[in-house]
Amino acid sequence: MIKLAAIDIGSNAIRLQVTSVISYEEKVTLKKLEYVRFPLRLGQDVFEVTEDNPTQRIGPERAAKFLKLMKAFKLLIDLYEVDGYLGCATSAMREAENGAELIEQVRNDYDLELQIIDGDTEAEILNKAMISFLEENKTYLHIDVGGGSTELNLYVNKEKIMARSFPIGSVRRLNPRKSLAQVGEEMQQWIKANVKKEYGKVTAIGTGGNINKIFDLAGKKSGKILPINKVISTRDFVAGHTLEERINKLQLNPDRADVIVYASDIYISAMQWAKSATILVPNVGLKDGVMQMLYQKHLNK
């Protein structure tokens, strides 16, 4: 049995997962041993420009918490005696002026290696997590809405033929620095130019914490299909509650409650532009793609 760990440093939250890989009678099973999600929301600093925060920097308070969290993650990795790990930081860290500086400090202080990845790499890692959900002779638009960016991947007959990362996300919508209308128009044009009629009916695939929660609220199980009208009605149901009601009545985490409607709008818009009537939500994310990469690396040793 081997143990692997994935760290996902997102714009809204930071996650650590430790997984054991069990091989028995030619069957391989990935079993989750530990999962930690901390709502640090690095994007709150990076995407908001004010008089108090005139530059795109992770502020001292969040930077201090980030360093404490990485110290805790390193302790867990050591305690579980993992055989391999990979830490990836996405849009907030890559846009932060002090992002590379913080990554270097983590390396020097805690001997923990992290990587700041670009949007294309992020999409490639996500691809490894959800490729098994694709069927032959079908067209899919993969929509991954994060805190700071949205990744779109177009698949035809299980082959990715086009991909694009857009600087629009749930946390960024709270504090927009550039015209969201402009980014939305660019996304719409990209979808309409690349999702062609000859590809046939398009099924959306949604990844990200917000679409997972919409799926839960709609009463669907992971891996099932949700019609777009149900996505819209669930979005409207959540939007009809105040922030306090979302937290106390709907039992949403505070860092989910204030962004879930914004994120849902992005999924719905992308589906409408692609003329996609349904969305599949497999409940996988960046950390799952990292696990696939680590396991493949282990096999190739």
Side-chain angles (χ1 to χ4, degrees):
M1 182 179 72
I2 64 171
K3 297 174 187 176
L4 305 171
I7 300 173
D8 174 6
I9 303 169
S11 301
N12 193 44
I14 300 177
R15 302 167 180 84
L16 166 71
Q17 182 168 314
V18 181
T19 299
S20 65
V21 182
I22 304 169
S23 298
Y24 181 71
E25 294 183 348
E26 299 184 355
K27 182 181 179 181
V28 176
T29 303
L30 273 65
K31 182 180 180 181
K32 183 164 58 178
L33 296 177
E34 184 75 60
Y35 177 70
V36 179
R37 178 186 183 274
F38 190 85
L40 188 52
R41 190 168 278 183
L42 298 175
Q44 191 81 40
D45 288 345
V46 179
F47 305 143
E48 181 176 15
V49 177
T50 65
E51 290 183 4
D52 295 332
N53 182 35
T55 59
Q56 290 178 258
R57 293 182 63 84
I58 296 170
E61 183 178 344
R62 280 193 175 86
K65 287 184 178 181
F66 172 72
L67 293 172
K68 286 181 181 179
L69 187 60
M70 292 304 101
K71 182 179 180 180
F73 282 6
K74 181 59 164 62
L75 288 171
L76 284 171
I77 286 172
D78 289 345
L79 285 168
Y80 275 104
E81 299 178 332
V82 303
D83 299 282
Y85 74 89
L86 179 61
C88 296
T90 56
S91 58
M93 190 65 77
R94 66 178 171 247
E95 291 186 30
E97 292 183 2
N98 56 339
E101 174 186 325
L102 286 170
I103 296 297
E104 183 66 22
Q105 187 171 349
V106 170
R107 180 184 297 113
N108 293 334
D109 292 355
Y110 311 128
D111 192 28
L112 183 65
E113 296 286 340
L114 304 172
Q115 299 178 17
I116 299 176
I117 60 174
D118 59 25
D120 290 340
T121 302
E122 186 175 353
E124 284 298 324
I125 295 174
L126 281 165
N127 171 67
K128 296 180 184 300
M130 40 72 66
I131 191 69
S132 62
F133 294 91
L134 306 184
E135 296 182 20
E136 300 281 355
N137 302 315
K138 287 192 174 183
T139 299
Y140 297 90
L141 179 65
H142 174 212
I143 310 163
D144 180 74
V145 180
S149 65
T150 295
E151 322 304 327
L152 297 182
N153 299 277
L154 181 62
Y155 294 87
V156 178
N157 195 23
K158 298 192 76 169
E159 180 182 353
K160 184 162 73 172
I161 62 171
M162 199 69 64
R164 175 82 181 269
S165 178
F166 294 87
I168 185 172
S170 57
V171 176
R172 196 186 294 271
R173 285 201 62 180
L174 291 175
N175 306 298
R177 288 189 301 104
K178 64 180 294 186
S179 170
L180 293 177
Q182 179 184 348
V183 178
E185 184 177 345
E186 291 171 2
M187 185 184 294
Q188 180 179 8
Q189 291 174 351
W190 186 90
I191 291 173
K192 290 186 174 181
N194 291 287
V195 181
K196 300 176 181 178
K197 288 184 179 179
E198 55 261 38
Y199 296 150
K201 185 173 68 174
V202 178
T203 299
I205 294 186
T207 54
N210 288 294
I211 194 65
N212 291 339
K213 183 54 66 174
I214 287 289
F215 216 63
D216 290 342
L217 291 170
K220 288 287 186 177
K221 292 184 178 180
S222 173
K224 300 297 182 180
I225 292 288
L226 191 66
I228 188 172
N229 61 350
K230 188 63 176 177
V231 179
I232 294 172
S233 64
T234 305
R235 185 273 313 272
D236 291 345
F237 168 74
V238 176
H241 290 74
T242 66
L243 181 61
E244 184 178 358
E245 288 172 339
R246 295 177 199 176
I247 295 170
N248 293 289
K249 288 187 177 181
L250 304 185
Q251 296 292 294
L252 299 182
N253 291 332
D255 67 306
R256 180 78 64 214
D258 62 346
V259 297
I260 189 169
V261 173
Y262 296 141
S264 300
D265 288 341
I266 300 174
Y267 287 105
I268 292 167
S269 295
M271 291 178 69
Q272 290 172 334
W273 294 331
K275 294 182 171 56
S276 177
T278 56
I279 187 168
L280 170 68
V281 182
N283 194 17
V284 296
L286 189 71
K287 57 182 172 45
D288 302 286
V290 168
M291 288 298 177
Q292 294 292 334
M293 289 177 60
L294 290 170
Y295 179 58
Q296 193 59 51
K297 183 179 179 181
H298 174 79
L299 290 179
N300 293 336
K301 282 185 178 179

